[in-house]
PDB file of all heavy atoms in Angstrom:
ATOM      1  N   ARG R 669       1.470 -16.068  28.527  1.00 96.00           N
ATOM      2  CA  ARG R 669       2.426 -16.998  27.861  1.00 96.00           C
ATOM      3  C   ARG R 669       1.672 -17.743  26.689  1.00 96.00           C
ATOM      4  O   ARG R 669       2.188 -17.772  25.618  1.00 96.00           O
ATOM      5  CB  ARG R 669       3.159 -17.818  28.740  1.00 96.00           C
ATOM      6  CG  ARG R 669       4.197 -18.634  28.062  1.00 96.00           C
ATOM      7  CD  ARG R 669       5.127 -19.392  29.118  1.00 96.00           C
ATOM      8  NE  ARG R 669       4.312 -20.302  29.961  1.00 96.00           N
ATOM      9  CZ  ARG R 669       4.021 -20.053  31.214  1.00 96.00           C
ATOM     10  NH1 ARG R 669       4.513 -19.012  31.913  1.00 96.00           N
ATOM     11  NH2 ARG R 669       3.314 -20.926  32.004  1.00 96.00           N
ATOM     12  N   THR R 670       0.602 -18.266  27.015  1.00 96.00           N
ATOM     13  CA  THR R 670      -0.180 -19.071  26.034  1.00 96.00           C
ATOM     14  C   THR R 670      -0.686 -18.234  24.913  1.00 96.00           C
ATOM     15  O   THR R 670      -0.637 -18.568  23.724  1.00 96.00           O
ATOM     16  CB  THR R 670      -1.393 -19.664  26.760  1.00 96.00           C
ATOM     17  OG1 THR R 670      -0.896 -20.582  27.779  1.00 96.00           O
ATOM     18  CG2 THR R 670      -2.285 -20.478  25.749  1.00 96.00           C
ATOM     19  N   ALA R 671      -1.171 -17.031  25.229  1.00 96.00           N
ATOM     20  CA  ALA R 671      -1.649 -16.122  24.144  1.00 96.00           C
ATOM     21  C   ALA R 671      -0.537 -15.593  23.289  1.00 96.00           C
ATOM     22  O   ALA R 671      -0.547 -15.449  22.041  1.00 96.00           O
ATOM     23  CB  ALA R 671      -2.324 -14.941  24.737  1.00 96.00           C
ATOM     24  N   TYR R 672       0.677 -15.280  23.957  1.00 96.00           N
ATOM     25  CA  TYR R 672       1.853 -14.919  23.104  1.00 96.00           C
ATOM     26  C   TYR R 672       2.231 -15.973  22.021  1.00 96.00           C
ATOM     27  O   TYR R 672       2.472 -15.734  20.890  1.00 96.00           O
ATOM     28  CB  TYR R 672       2.983 -14.667  23.942  1.00 96.00           C
ATOM     29  CG  TYR R 672       3.092 -13.181  24.567  1.00 96.00           C
ATOM     30  CD1 TYR R 672       3.242 -13.006  25.914  1.00 96.00           C
ATOM     31  CD2 TYR R 672       2.981 -12.149  23.755  1.00 96.00           C
ATOM     32  CE1 TYR R 672       3.330 -11.743  26.449  1.00 96.00           C
ATOM     33  CE2 TYR R 672       2.978 -10.767  24.297  1.00 96.00           C
ATOM     34  CZ  TYR R 672       3.153 -10.663  25.630  1.00 96.00           C
ATOM     35  OH  TYR R 672       3.287  -9.298  26.133  1.00 96.00           O
ATOM     36  N   ARG R 673       2.235 -17.239  22.598  1.00 96.00           N
ATOM     37  CA  ARG R 673       2.654 -18.378  21.648  1.00 96.00           C
ATOM     38  C   ARG R 673       1.607 -18.626  20.604  1.00 96.00           C
ATOM     39  O   ARG R 673       1.932 -18.877  19.425  1.00 96.00           O
ATOM     40  CB  ARG R 673       2.713 -19.608  22.565  1.00 96.00           C
ATOM     41  CG  ARG R 673       4.160 -19.619  23.285  1.00 96.00           C
ATOM     42  CD  ARG R 673       4.228 -20.730  24.261  1.00 96.00           C
ATOM     43  NE  ARG R 673       5.549 -20.627  24.960  1.00 96.00           N
ATOM     44  CZ  ARG R 673       5.816 -21.470  25.956  1.00 96.00           C
ATOM     45  NH1 ARG R 673       5.005 -22.206  26.412  1.00 96.00           N
ATOM     46  NH2 ARG R 673       7.087 -21.326  26.592  1.00 96.00           N
ATOM     47  N   ALA R 674       0.289 -18.407  20.952  1.00 96.00           N
ATOM     48  CA  ALA R 674      -0.763 -18.548  19.889  1.00 96.00           C
ATOM     49  C   ALA R 674      -0.612 -17.435  18.794  1.00 96.00           C
ATOM     50  O   ALA R 674      -0.727 -17.705  17.599  1.00 96.00           O
ATOM     51  CB  ALA R 674      -2.086 -18.427  20.556  1.00 96.00           C
ATOM     52  N   ALA R 675      -0.235 -16.249  19.217  1.00 95.00           N
ATOM     53  CA  ALA R 675      -0.107 -15.197  18.276  1.00 95.00           C
ATOM     54  C   ALA R 675       1.189 -15.425  17.449  1.00 95.00           C
ATOM     55  O   ALA R 675       1.157 -15.225  16.170  1.00 95.00           O
ATOM     56  CB  ALA R 675       0.080 -13.821  18.955  1.00 95.00           C
ATOM     57  N   ALA R 676       2.245 -15.915  17.960  1.00 96.00           N
ATOM     58  CA  ALA R 676       3.452 -16.256  17.271  1.00 96.00           C
ATOM     59  C   ALA R 676       3.252 -17.341  16.257  1.00 96.00           C
ATOM     60  O   ALA R 676       3.745 -17.227  15.157  1.00 96.00           O
ATOM     61  CB  ALA R 676       4.526 -16.581  18.169  1.00 96.00           C
ATOM     62  N   ASP R 677       2.478 -18.279  16.661  1.00 95.00           N
ATOM     63  CA  ASP R 677       2.144 -19.418  15.670  1.00 95.00           C
ATOM     64  C   ASP R 677       1.194 -18.951  14.438  1.00 95.00           C
ATOM     65  O   ASP R 677       1.287 -19.652  13.418  1.00 95.00           O
ATOM     66  CB  ASP R 677       1.458 -20.463  16.419  1.00 95.00           C
ATOM     67  CG  ASP R 677       2.360 -21.242  17.424  1.00 95.00           C
ATOM     68  OD1 ASP R 677       3.692 -21.084  17.227  1.00 95.00           O
ATOM     69  OD2 ASP R 677       1.920 -21.957  18.273  1.00 95.00           O
ATOM     70  N   ALA R 678       0.505 -17.818  14.754  1.00 93.00           N
ATOM     71  CA  ALA R 678      -0.428 -17.438  13.626  1.00 93.00           C
ATOM     72  C   ALA R 678       0.011 -16.406  12.744  1.00 93.00           C
ATOM     73  O   ALA R 678      -0.447 -16.266  11.582  1.00 93.00           O
ATOM     74  CB  ALA R 678      -1.807 -16.959  14.367  1.00 93.00           C
ATOM     75  N   THR R 679       1.141 -15.607  13.083  1.00 92.00           N
ATOM     76  CA  THR R 679       1.588 -14.609  12.194  1.00 92.00           C
ATOM     77  C   THR R 679       2.544 -15.260  11.178  1.00 92.00           C
ATOM     78  O   THR R 679       3.213 -16.209  11.438  1.00 92.00           O
ATOM     79  CB  THR R 679       2.310 -13.526  12.971  1.00 92.00           C
ATOM     80  OG1 THR R 679       2.722 -12.529  12.001  1.00 92.00           O
ATOM     81  CG2 THR R 679       3.450 -14.068  13.679  1.00 92.00           C
ATOM     82  N   LEU R 680       2.469 -14.620  10.000  1.00 87.00           N
ATOM     83  CA  LEU R 680       3.469 -14.976   8.965  1.00 87.00           C
ATOM     84  C   LEU R 680       4.679 -14.143   8.802  1.00 87.00           C
ATOM     85  O   LEU R 680       5.620 -14.346   8.071  1.00 87.00           O
ATOM     86  CB  LEU R 680       2.758 -14.992   7.545  1.00 87.00           C
ATOM     87  CG  LEU R 680       1.507 -15.993   7.399  1.00 87.00           C
ATOM     88  CD1 LEU R 680       0.894 -15.689   6.049  1.00 87.00           C
ATOM     89  CD2 LEU R 680       2.021 -17.407   7.464  1.00 87.00           C
ATOM     90  N   SER R 681       4.725 -13.146   9.716  1.00 89.00           N
ATOM     91  CA  SER R 681       5.822 -12.210   9.851  1.00 89.00           C
ATOM     92  C   SER R 681       6.945 -12.804  10.742  1.00 89.00           C
ATOM     93  O   SER R 681       6.679 -13.027  11.909  1.00 89.00           O
ATOM     94  CB  SER R 681       5.468 -10.833  10.330  1.00 89.00           C
ATOM     95  OG  SER R 681       6.541 -10.017  10.710  1.00 89.00           O
ATOM     96  N   GLU R 682       8.090 -13.082  10.263  1.00 91.00           N
ATOM     97  CA  GLU R 682       9.102 -13.707  11.050  1.00 91.00           C
ATOM     98  C   GLU R 682       9.689 -12.761  12.194  1.00 91.00           C
ATOM     99  O   GLU R 682       9.864 -13.217  13.384  1.00 91.00           O
ATOM    100  CB  GLU R 682      10.263 -14.114  10.252  1.00 91.00           C
ATOM    101  CG  GLU R 682       9.906 -15.199   9.231  1.00 91.00           C
ATOM    102  CD  GLU R 682      11.033 -15.564   8.260  1.00 91.00           C
ATOM    103  OE1 GLU R 682      12.239 -15.210   8.510  1.00 91.00           O
ATOM    104  OE2 GLU R 682      10.724 -16.078   7.192  1.00 91.00           O
ATOM    105  N   PRO R 683       9.803 -11.454  12.003  1.00 92.00           N
ATOM    106  CA  PRO R 683      10.146 -10.606  13.146  1.00 92.00           C
ATOM    107  C   PRO R 683       9.069 -10.539  14.220  1.00 92.00           C
ATOM    108  O   PRO R 683       9.457 -10.497  15.314  1.00 92.00           O
ATOM    109  CB  PRO R 683      10.403  -9.296  12.451  1.00 92.00           C
ATOM    110  CG  PRO R 683      10.668  -9.512  11.034  1.00 92.00           C
ATOM    111  CD  PRO R 683       9.878 -10.725  10.660  1.00 92.00           C
TER     112      PRO R 683
END
Side-chain angles (χ1 to χ4, degrees):
R669 185 170 59 249
T670 299
Y672 276 129
R673 288 175 176 166
D677 291 342
T679 181
L680 297 175
S681 167
E682 295 173 22

